[in-house]
Amino acid sequence: KKFSVYKTEDSQKLGSFYISKFLMGNVDENRVDTLRQNDIQNQATDILQPTINPVTLDAMELIKKYFPPDQWQNALAVAKGESGLDPNAKGDDYPINGIHAPSYGYFQIRGLPGRPAKEQLLNPEFNVKYAADLYRQQGWKPWTVARKLGLVK
């Protein structure tokens, strides 16, 4: 069965440990219901459920496809912080240094001159692949959220 992440009032009851286990493919579907029923407090922001949110499932599958395994959890956290895992997210819609260059997709890639077109950046697979390429070239430096997460010093 496929799993995805969705938000509920109970969402703070699961830890990043379980998200990490999910990304590695180690979450048992029966364990998901047990975790949901337990009152595990002060942990992460998502809860796993069978095929409820295919968009989030797609994001995780793409992250696993393009990012190195040791960065899957970080990539998920960055994408979640940048776009809320919305593949159609558009942000930073204001001029910076006189250039109007909004950010698009899961990883909020800025549409700067010389970069791919908006339509490409709004393609979920292209966005994640481009983000993985940026990560390989520059680490987590291009993402503001990565600084907030302590991934960039």
Side-chain angles (χ1 to χ4, degrees), residues 89-96 99-104 108-111 118:
K90 180 181 176 186
D92 302 321
D93 196 8
Y94 50 86
I96 297 176
I99 299 172
H100 185 255
S103 301
Y104 301 102
Q108 290 294 280
I109 307 295
R110 240 183 225 295
K118 166 188 172 181

Side-chain angles (χ1 to χ4, degrees), residues 3-23:
F3 290 86
S4 65
V5 177
Y6 78 104
K7 296 177 182 178
T8 70
E9 290 179 17
D10 294 335
S11 64
Q12 294 181 352
K13 296 178 183 174
L14 285 180
S16 60
F17 169 78
Y18 296 108
I19 293 170
S20 174
K21 286 292 203 180
F22 171 75
L23 288 171

Side-chain angles (χ1 to χ4, degrees), residues 102-121:
S103 301
Y104 301 102
Y106 286 130
F107 282 90
Q108 290 294 280
I109 307 295
R110 240 183 225 295
L112 295 169
R115 285 200 176 166
K118 166 188 172 181
E119 294 73 27
Q120 288 178 293
L121 294 173

Side-chain angles (χ1 to χ4, degrees), residues 68-144:
D70 67 334
Q71 293 301 313
W72 289 348
Q73 190 170 352
N74 290 338
L76 179 64
V78 168
K80 183 175 181 185
E82 289 288 341
S83 69
L85 295 177
D86 177 358
N88 299 308
K90 180 181 176 186
D92 302 321
D93 196 8
Y94 50 86
I96 297 176
N97 297 327
I99 299 172
H100 185 255
S103 301
Y104 301 102
Y106 286 130
F107 282 90
Q108 290 294 280
I109 307 295
R110 240 183 225 295
L112 295 169
R115 285 200 176 166
K118 166 188 172 181
E119 294 73 27
Q120 288 178 293
L121 294 173
L122 284 171
N123 174 294
E125 184 153 4
F126 185 90
N127 188 277
V128 174
K129 183 180 184 311
Y130 193 86
D133 290 343
L134 275 177
Y135 166 78
R136 281 181 188 77
Q137 295 167 13
Q138 301 177 42
W140 291 113
K141 291 178 188 174
W143 292 276
T144 305

